[in-house]
Amino acid sequence: MELNKAFRLSHDLLGPTLNSETIKKLMESEVDTNINFIGQERAQHALEFGLDMNMTGYNLFVMGEPATGRHTLIDNHLKQVAKIKSTPHEWCYVNNFDDTRTPNYIRLAAGEGKQFIAKIESFIDDLLDTFPSVFDNPSFQRKKRVIEREFNDKYEKALEQVESKALENGLVLFEETGVVSFAPVVQGKPLTDAEFSQLKEEQRQQFYVRISDLEVFLNEKLLELPQWKREASEKQRKLSKETIENALRPLLKDLEHTYAADIGVIRYFKEMHDTLVELVQEWLADEADEEKNKEDVDVRQVLEDQLIPNVLNVRTSGDGAPIVYEPNPSFQNIFGRIEYSSVQGSVYTSYRMIRAGALHKANGGYLLIEADKLMQQPAVWESLKLALKSQEIKMETPTGEANIVNASSLTPQAIPMDIKVILMGSRELYYLMQEYDNEFNELFRVLADFEHFIPLNDKVQFGFVQKIKQYASEHHLEISADAVEELFKFSFRQASHQHKLSARFADVLELLSESQFYAKRDGDTEIHQNHVIKSLEGKQYRTGQISESFLEDIQEGQILIDTCGYQVGKLNGLTVLEIGDTVFGTPARISATVYAGSNGVVDIEREVELGKAIHSKGVMLLSGYLGSKYAQDFSLCFSANIALEQSYGHIDGDSASLGEVCALISAITHIPLNQSIAITGSINQHGQVQSIGGVNEKIEGFFKLCLARKLTGEQGVIIPKTNCINLVLSTEVINAVEAGQFHIYAVDEVDDALTILTDKQAGVLSSRGRYPRDSVNGIAAQRLQRIADIVNGEDGE
């Protein structure tokens, strides 16, 4: 055991070092609401650059994993930038009176949309007050009677001529409700039908002939009657139109005067004129269709459907640029939609049924979208690129969308667009889009790279504490300095680094909220360190079913793991299992067998297709290491099998290669290995030990097993020395190391690990190119040469 002491790590090297007094002073300082970023200087610089670049194509892609606070940080930064920018225009669609299928847009200053609607509504009120009462004007009635009199004079004159001729023929003319008829006159008295039937047949025939001649004469005289009616109607319509225009002129003048500086609105009023005249003639004139009036048609609704503007986005002056986050970037949510209504079985729409999308709402400001969700909508991505290139928002039906039968569609005029789009996505997605979409780099030229880990310095430490204080203040929480120190340790553990914090600050705030539960349960108004620890233990307990099941299987002997004694060709490797949000370490036995042959090192996991590429690479490196280490003077020729026992799932990673080479050398030399020590690490062909991942989980996984079987003071874990900086172990493990009940060994080379596991000197190569005969390396070289001699038939025995 004396040989192992040189490699043992002191307990104060197993976790980060924090200054409690500094944290206490920071907690006593006032809350600084200006702290938006914790670290992330690179991303902050990129955001400042991208947001200030007003040229086309300088949209941003924010690279980072979810829960790193990127959305919150971006939103806070955008609010500061947007606040100082001018509030953009409001956009509204109005009726295109020439072609109702293509509504026109009008641009209004911020806050004017509601005023514009109110003005038009007031104008409609004036219309309803003016019409049809304007037709009661004496001047209009007099002109109307003149037109009627002219028609009646022509009609009466024609009837007088017919009546005169009728009297000459012994007939009298009757006119009733516009119907002209003739009756015979005998002895100065018109005959009734009964009296006429009493006349002789000859007399009746004479009267029939006369009446027939008179009807022909009547038709000749009234031949121009339809023309007289048309002329009268045209004069009447002209009079009505002139009266309407004269009444409308002052109403429109008032509107035009109000919006004299807005060319778009003035143009709308000019285009509205002819339609207004038609609407008044149809619905509000004194000769309007009586049947329509009988149907109780809401004339006001008719006017509103034609005249009221459809304001897409309401702004308030002084609000600054809008910031819009679209969580579901479907086509309609991004570009807007056109709604439809059903009337008597037919589907119709109008400009007033156009609804704004995220682009309309964010126009003049910033639009945030999750890139992975956007990529699930191919039609949206292609249309968004087109909009960014053309700088226009077009409302089109996406390709492949089912058409509505019997529906009239709209093609609204494209609205000019001025938007900074910010996509948020992972690193993999960013490089994938760069590779497969040639237009991506052209449109998203600024990359804001949010780091996974934040190096700890005074500024970061200050920002970390300030963000916790901000959160506590917003949620009315009281938190102590020792609890904040525990939150720091939690962040270090997430980063698996003694000098870096995790960028997933949302997890820290989540832990803080959960700690409040335990503080309330204990009756404390302030969150202390023990509450944070209880919260962590509670989460571990809630998600620890699988890890406890593994530990139980080992305890029951279902999985064979030894934590004491010495064995040849066997040792305890360490693996990390990640299932959902549960990550835990567990030991796995590595075994090796060696015999005379020429097959080399056979990876059983690879042979049965359970070992993936990186694991197979680690095993294949073993032959290179053994050859360069021992077989400089003879050919390396042996057969060996290596396996992770009782593993039935896929295995990947090369973190077992250090354990595998030690097991292999033990099998070659027949030197037993210490089973109370587990090992993890990767090696290269020169025997140097390389860093691995999940070092904390691996150590704690083996520690729990040893603790369950009672600590002996000999148990421990071998890790790569380069992983020392990643150690953020639990207090329980650190206390055990401090008490000498558990040990952490850090090694640089395979020989260091062999020395610890065998409690024998590994042996150093002499100037003559040989290892000491009783050293591990010396015995291994001798054994390999003997196997090679046997295989090659050179063994004298």
Side-chain angles (χ1 to χ4, degrees), residues 115-127:
Q115 297 177 14
F116 188 34
I117 292 176
K119 285 288 184 183
I120 299 298
E121 288 178 341
S122 177
F123 174 71
I124 292 175
D125 291 336
D126 293 340
L127 281 179

Side-chain angles (χ1 to χ4, degrees), residues 267-286:
R267 186 186 302 116
Y268 173 58
F269 292 151
K270 297 291 185 186
E271 295 171 352
M272 182 197 297
H273 180 272
D274 292 342
T275 301
L276 271 178
V277 174
E278 293 175 4
L279 288 171
V280 173
Q281 279 185 323
E282 183 176 0
W283 297 101
L284 296 173
D286 60 345

Side-chain angles (χ1 to χ4, degrees), residues 94-104 268 271 306 351:
V94 294
N95 197 359
N96 183 349
F97 300 104
D98 294 330
D99 183 3
T100 56
R101 291 176 179 269
T102 57
N104 295 324
Y268 173 58
E271 295 171 352
Q306 294 283 332
Y351 75 97

Side-chain angles (χ1 to χ4, degrees), residues 53 67 77 132 415 516 583 600 643 664 750 766:
M53 286 293 293
H77 191 71
I415 292 178
Q516 185 192 19
V583 181
L664 186 60
V750 173
S766 67

Side-chain angles (χ1 to χ4, degrees), residues 258-414:
T258 304
Y259 293 95
D262 199 320
I263 298 175
V265 178
I266 294 298
R267 186 186 302 116
Y268 173 58
F269 292 151
K270 297 291 185 186
E271 295 171 352
M272 182 197 297
H273 180 272
D274 292 342
T275 301
L276 271 178
V277 174
E278 293 175 4
L279 288 171
V280 173
Q281 279 185 323
E282 183 176 0
W283 297 101
L284 296 173
D286 60 345
E287 68 270 16
D289 193 338
E290 293 182 1
E291 291 183 2
K292 291 181 180 178
N293 294 333
K294 289 178 183 177
E295 293 175 0
D296 295 328
V297 175
D298 189 347
V299 179
R300 181 181 183 84
Q301 186 63 46
V302 173
L303 294 174
E304 288 181 350
D305 289 342
Q306 294 283 332
L307 306 179
I308 295 289
N310 177 13
V311 179
L312 296 178
N313 47 351
V314 177
R315 313 268 192 221
T316 302
S317 181
D319 280 355
I323 304 169
V324 177
Y325 170 66
E326 180 49 62
N328 178 25
S330 64
F331 195 94
Q332 291 185 337
N333 288 349
I334 294 293
F335 291 93
R337 67 185 185 278
I338 301 172
E339 295 179 345
Y340 293 86
S341 180
S342 177
V343 177
Q344 297 179 349
S346 297
V347 180
Y348 86 101
T349 186
S350 73
Y351 75 97
R352 296 192 68 197
M353 301 175 78
I354 298 173
R355 299 293 176 258
L359 288 177
H360 299 95
K361 297 172 186 175
N363 203 1
Y366 309 94
L367 175 60
L368 285 76
I369 307 175
E370 298 283 354
D372 56 340
K373 295 179 181 176
L374 183 64
M375 290 301 105
Q376 295 171 13
Q377 310 274 351
V380 180
W381 172 239
E382 293 299 326
S383 298
L384 180 61
K385 289 193 297 182
L386 183 61
L388 290 173
K389 286 189 288 187
S390 65
Q391 295 292 290
E392 288 182 337
I393 307 173
K394 292 183 179 179
M395 299 185 70
E396 299 174 340
T397 304
T399 306
E401 184 176 294
N403 294 322
I404 301 176
V405 180
N406 297 330
S408 59
S409 60
L410 299 179
T411 308
Q413 185 181 7

